[in-house]
Amino acid sequence: MSNNFKHKWAKESIATIKKVIERVTLPDNQFLEVNSKLKEIELRDNDNHLYLGIVGEFASGKSTLINALIGKDFFVTDAWQGTTTIPTHIRYATNIDLIINYKDGQMQRYSSNKKSLLGRFLPDVYSNLTNWKKIVLGLKGYFSANNYDKEMLQLFDILTTSDELTEIISEVVVEYPSDILKDGLVIIDTPGTDSTNLQHKKIAEETIAKKCDLAFVIIPSDRPLSMTLASFVKRNMGHSLDKCVFFLTKIELIKKAEERVRLYNGVKNRIQSMISISNPQLMNAPTLLYLEQNNVVEPSGLLSHFTALEKKEMSDLYKQNVDSLLSQIYESKEETICHKLKILLNTILAELTIELNNREKELGQNLQTLKRLRTKPLRDFITEFFRTEGLARQYHSLNFKMKEKCSSKASSLVWHVRGKIDKITPNNSNNPKDDTQNIMNSCDVKSYGKGCFNDCYTYFLSLLKEMQTEYETSFARFRKDFTNTFSIEALDSEFSLHIKSSWQKKYQVRFKKKDITTGLIARWWKELDEVQSQMKEAVRPYIEQGFDKIYNFYSSIIKKVNDDFENQMEQIRWHFISKFEKVIQRRIQEELRKEERVNAKLEEIQTCVKTLNEVKNLFNNIKYGKN
């Protein structure tokens, strides 16, 4: 697959992803994140430049390497030069120039703004200029005619090595007419990895991860992969290790060939063990030798241990290796874009899978609602519900409880009267037989009887309350089932119960002495035991008859109250029918429309997922490397 085809296909893939995220509904935060990443990828794809990052420690030979790449002794390589604090971009232009990009979005060119730049950043240099010189600089700036000079190098040095300026400057760009930069290559010098400033490390990490297509990691032969450099690369460039090529610089300063081989192998092993790269790309970089061999710098006298042929062979090999690596940058850019798109695709697909599951769940719930609404007409639902509620059974149960209560209290009064009869003796009564027959009129029996009647009334009221509670509970269950069945918030209602004072029956058990001898002669010839025994049997039916009367009275009221509750419930039923029957029909239509919308959304998401998977499969089939 050619680079042109890959580039074209990447653009088409970006356009496809754009359409997908515009069609589907992602959460706002997810949409913003995906859209932001897509724009970042699109900008990178549209950028015709290729970015090469230079990573290394202070005095590791970064500047010498950059000079060797551009073929000019441009960047200061003295040991006193401060370490880079701001990313420096070196790109092609027909004329040498310096561009300062500020964090507030402003930009200044050296050729147009030398006067103001010197005044701001090199005030000592500016103050030493004559007035005439300042006027000349201003005029040259108007015509963008300030050329490359020593002040530019001084300004470049202060801009790229000052910690204070990192607060206001985002990057510095050097434009240079080097053949190696003509095809769009941009070299980026990053802050030193051994800097103690955490911001420097962050700048280096973000520059390599987000901007660069390839990174040259500088390892000087006099410091063969320090712990500081290895730690920085492993910790801060873990996601970019596949884009790293390691350059062993100052290798030409080692005189013996076997020592150079041993050092090369040792460094490679250290990279494998310390950074966990199985097969690292490591290259000898005799940059000083290359510069001297190509007459870029004056001979230093440090390379006299090499013959002319050895110098040429080493220089040519270095040039071939660099050319080969630079050709990889084109492939690396497409691979980087492809990799980022794949990550983005996985993110979108994961989100769409969640959305798909949610929509399917929503559709399932919608279909269940539709099924309930269609298969359970409101009238049938109400009839069936109250048929199974058993309110009629509840009424009979309460009526039976009332009867049991009255019977229990009647028995209690009977036993109380019998006990009182048993306690009448000649020792405590002047006329025990007469007192026995008058026992029902005694204050104690009357008081006890009234208490029994009151207990029956209290129990009767509790049964009415129980009945009311049962109806309210039944209606509460009905409301809940109604809402669950029809997905409509049900109306509320209360069951009214009006207690009347006339419902309380007074104690009315009177005993008549017929069939019991009451005269003196009749009682005279009967023993006290016989009179008391006859009396104990005689009072039972009178007492039970009195309690039967209050039971019948309370039972009739329970029936009336139950009928009233039934009428209230019936009114509620018809109220629900009149209010909600049409509403439910509308709900059915709404649910049908909702089903159509959800189905349409499901199909749309499924189509998007299918489209993205096709794009993903194409990505997976792309082969990178030499075509």
Side-chain angles (χ1 to χ4, degrees):
M1 189 179 288
S2 69
N3 282 332
N4 287 336
F5 180 81
K6 290 174 187 175
H7 183 62
K8 179 182 176 183
W9 179 78
K11 285 187 177 298
E12 292 175 353
S13 300
I14 291 170
T16 299
I17 296 172
K18 261 187 176 182
K19 290 178 182 178
V20 167
I21 64 174
E22 286 171 0
R23 287 174 62 188
V24 298
T25 306
L26 295 176
D28 290 344
N29 59 335
Q30 190 70 42
F31 175 80
L32 292 173
E33 182 181 351
V34 169
N35 202 41
S36 174
K37 288 181 179 178
L38 188 60
K39 285 182 178 178
E40 178 186 317
I41 295 171
E42 188 176 20
L43 286 173
R44 183 66 192 93
D45 186 57
N46 291 332
D47 186 352
N48 294 323
H49 292 97
L50 302 164
Y51 295 91
L52 169 64
I54 308 296
V55 179
E57 295 180 322
F58 173 66
S60 60
K62 287 197 298 175
S63 298
T64 304
L65 174 63
I66 294 172
N67 287 337
L69 289 173
I70 66 174
K72 186 69 176 179
D73 187 19
F74 180 83
F75 293 95
V76 180
T77 57
D78 294 340
W80 54 263
Q81 184 195 24
T83 185
T84 303
T85 59
I86 294 174
T88 303
H89 293 56
I90 305 107
R91 70 188 186 198
Y92 181 79
T94 54
N95 295 310
I96 300 174
D97 206 347
L98 190 64
I99 300 171
I100 300 95
N101 290 319
Y102 297 93
K103 289 186 175 180
D104 62 4
Q106 295 186 55
M107 181 270 285
Q108 283 185 302
R109 280 183 172 273
Y110 180 81
S111 58
S112 305
N113 299 276
K114 179 177 179 180
K115 181 180 177 181
S116 63
L117 290 172
L118 292 180
R120 182 176 184 181
F121 298 111
L122 293 172
D124 292 340
V125 173
Y126 182 75
S127 62
N128 290 329
L129 296 176
T130 64
N131 291 333
W132 173 247
K133 181 67 173 175
K134 292 176 183 178
I135 292 171
V136 171
L137 287 180
L139 290 171
K140 284 186 175 183
Y142 179 78
F143 294 102
S144 299
N146 284 306
N147 298 320
Y148 168 65
D149 51 26
K150 66 176 182 178
E151 284 87 2
M152 178 189 282
L153 291 178
Q154 287 179 286
L155 181 64
F156 172 76
D157 184 34
I158 194 70
L159 291 176
T160 57
T161 60
S162 172
D163 277 334
E164 292 78 11
L165 296 182
T166 59
E167 298 296 324
I168 61 171
I169 297 176
S170 59
E171 65 182 23
V172 174
V173 179
V174 175
E175 291 186 334
Y176 197 84
S178 171
D179 289 342
I180 200 173
L181 306 175
K182 257 187 178 181
D183 292 330
L185 178 67
V186 177
I187 300 172
I188 304 177
D189 186 17
T190 61
T193 59
D194 54 344
S195 172
T196 56
N197 190 318
L198 295 178
Q199 184 65 19
H200 295 177
K201 295 180 179 180
K202 184 179 179 181
I203 291 171
E205 174 193 357
E206 291 183 351
T207 302
I208 298 300
K210 294 183 179 180
K211 192 83 172 177
C212 295
D213 302 303
L214 199 67
F216 288 178
V217 181
I218 310 304
I219 302 174
S221 60
D222 53 352
R223 283 176 290 163
L225 191 58
S226 67
M227 289 292 295
T228 306
L229 179 60
S231 176
F232 175 87
V233 173
K234 187 172 183 179
R235 185 175 62 252
N236 299 310
M237 299 173 63
H239 299 297
S240 309
L241 291 179
D242 57 327
K243 299 192 294 184
C244 291
V245 178
F246 297 87
F247 270 54
L248 187 56
T249 60
K250 304 181 183 181
I251 190 74
E252 68 272 40
L253 300 180
I254 298 174
K255 295 181 179 181
K256 295 184 178 179
E258 58 270 22
E259 289 184 14
R260 292 196 295 273
V261 172
R262 187 163 53 250
L263 176 64
Y264 178 92
N265 292 331
V267 170
K268 191 167 187 176
N269 290 333
R270 285 172 69 84
I271 294 172
Q272 290 173 327
S273 61
M274 295 172 69
I275 308 180
S276 302
I277 302 178
S278 58
N279 187 28
Q281 289 191 75
L282 177 63
M283 178 189 297
N284 284 330
T287 50
L288 176 61
L289 182 148
Y290 178 80
L291 290 170
E292 290 186 7
Q293 190 70 13
N294 288 276
N295 300 316
V296 176
V297 297
E298 295 293 327
S300 62
L302 299 174
L303 307 177
S304 58
H305 50 278
F306 289 110
T307 66
L309 179 61
E310 287 174 331
K311 288 181 181 180
K312 184 177 185 311
E313 288 177 348
M314 189 175 290
S315 176
D316 290 346
L317 179 60
Y318 168 73
K319 178 70 165 58
Q320 291 172 13
N321 288 337
V322 169
D323 289 344
S324 175
L325 283 175
L326 294 180
S327 68
Q328 291 181 26
I329 297 181
Y330 294 89
E331 195 72 49
S332 179
K333 176 186 176 181
E334 300 302 329
E335 187 174 1
T336 299
I337 291 172
C338 178
H339 179 67
K340 288 183 177 181
L341 281 172
K342 279 200 287 187
I343 293 174
L344 190 61
L345 277 171
N346 288 333
T347 300
I348 299 172
L349 283 169
E351 196 62 39
L352 287 183
T353 300
I354 295 172
E355 181 70 10
L356 200 60
N357 291 335
N358 291 338
R359 294 291 182 176
E360 287 174 346
K361 184 179 179 181
E362 181 184 356
L363 182 61
Q365 293 171 344
N366 177 249
L367 292 174
Q368 287 180 0
T369 302
L370 261 178
K371 184 178 179 181
R372 288 197 305 269
L373 292 172
R374 285 169 162 174
T375 59
K376 187 75 71 173
L378 179 59
R379 294 174 188 244
D380 293 349
F381 168 78
I382 293 175
T383 301
E384 181 180 327
F385 180 87
F386 288 107
R387 184 190 299 127
T388 58
E389 274 298 278
L391 290 173
R393 292 192 299 274
Q394 185 255 355
Y395 156 69
H396 292 297
S397 172
L398 296 181
N399 197 47
F400 179 75
K401 288 180 180 179
M402 190 71 246
K403 187 174 183 63
E404 288 287 303
K405 186 69 173 181
C406 289
S407 297
S408 172
K409 286 300 176 180
S411 296
S412 178
L413 182 55
V414 168
W415 284 106
H416 183 77
V417 171
R418 286 182 172 182
K420 298 302 290 185
I421 291 173
D422 287 338
K423 290 181 180 179
I424 298 174
T425 65
N427 294 328
N428 57 24
S429 174
N430 294 327
N431 193 348
K433 292 180 182 181
D434 194 49
D435 287 343
T436 295
Q437 289 184 324
N438 289 321
I439 191 66
M440 292 301 293
N441 294 320
S442 69
C443 293
D444 181 78
V445 169
K446 283 183 178 181
S447 176
Y448 193 85
K450 288 177 181 179
C452 289
F453 265 58
N454 288 337
D455 287 347
C456 287
Y457 177 69
T458 302
Y459 189 67
F460 158 73
L461 292 180
S462 71
L463 291 179
L464 294 183
K465 291 290 185 182
E466 184 178 338
M467 183 187 297
Q468 182 182 23
T469 300
E470 187 61 33
Y471 270 90
E472 289 173 345
T473 303
S474 178
F475 177 69
R477 285 195 293 269
F478 168 74
R479 288 184 75 247
K480 182 179 179 181
D481 282 10
F482 175 86
T483 299
N484 291 338
T485 301
F486 299 107
S487 301
I488 298 174
E489 188 64 32
L491 298 172
D492 201 358
S493 186
E494 295 181 355
F495 289 83
S496 58
L497 173 63
H498 303 291
I499 308 295
K500 298 179 181 179
S501 59
S502 59
W503 288 354
Q504 184 171 11
K505 278 293 184 182
K506 305 300 182 182
Y507 175 69
Q508 293 179 352
V509 177
R510 293 185 177 86
F511 177 68
K512 296 180 180 179
K513 297 180 182 178
K514 65 179 182 177
D515 299 328
I516 300 293
T517 54
T518 58
L520 291 174
I521 296 175
R523 287 198 299 269
W524 178 79
W525 57 269
K526 289 184 179 181
E527 296 295 333
L528 177 61
D529 289 345
E530 185 180 357
V531 172
Q532 289 181 331
S533 177
Q534 189 176 12
M535 185 63 185
K536 282 193 284 187
E537 290 300 323
V539 297
R540 174 182 285 279
Y542 286 96
I543 292 174
E544 290 177 346
Q545 184 181 18
F547 278 92
D548 283 343
K549 286 180 180 180
I550 66 167
Y551 159 69
N552 290 330
F553 177 72
Y554 287 148
S555 177
S556 66
I557 296 175
I558 290 173
K559 178 67 169 62
K560 288 178 181 178
V561 171
N562 186 68
D563 290 344
D564 183 52
F565 283 151
E566 274 289 346
N567 289 332
Q568 292 181 52
M569 184 68 84
E570 191 65 23
Q571 290 174 9
I572 291 171
R573 296 176 193 174
W574 283 108
H575 186 54
F576 265 76
I577 290 171
S578 64
K579 183 170 181 62
F580 292 115
E581 205 162 32
K582 290 182 179 179
V583 172
I584 290 170
Q585 290 303 315
R586 288 197 298 269
R587 279 297 309 280
I588 291 175
Q589 297 304 315
E590 288 175 5
E591 292 297 328
L592 286 170
R593 289 192 292 271
K594 184 178 179 182
E595 181 185 2
E596 291 177 2
R597 290 195 301 269
V598 174
N599 265 321
K601 197 65 181 177
L602 264 177
E603 291 176 6
E604 184 179 43
I605 295 173
Q606 288 166 348
T607 301
C608 290
V609 169
K610 181 181 177 183
T611 301
L612 292 180
N613 275 318
E614 289 173 354
V615 174
K616 184 179 177 181
N617 290 334
L618 285 172
F619 271 125
N620 292 334
N621 291 329
I622 291 180
K623 303 297 182 183
Y624 287 92
K626 293 182 179 179
N627 294 311

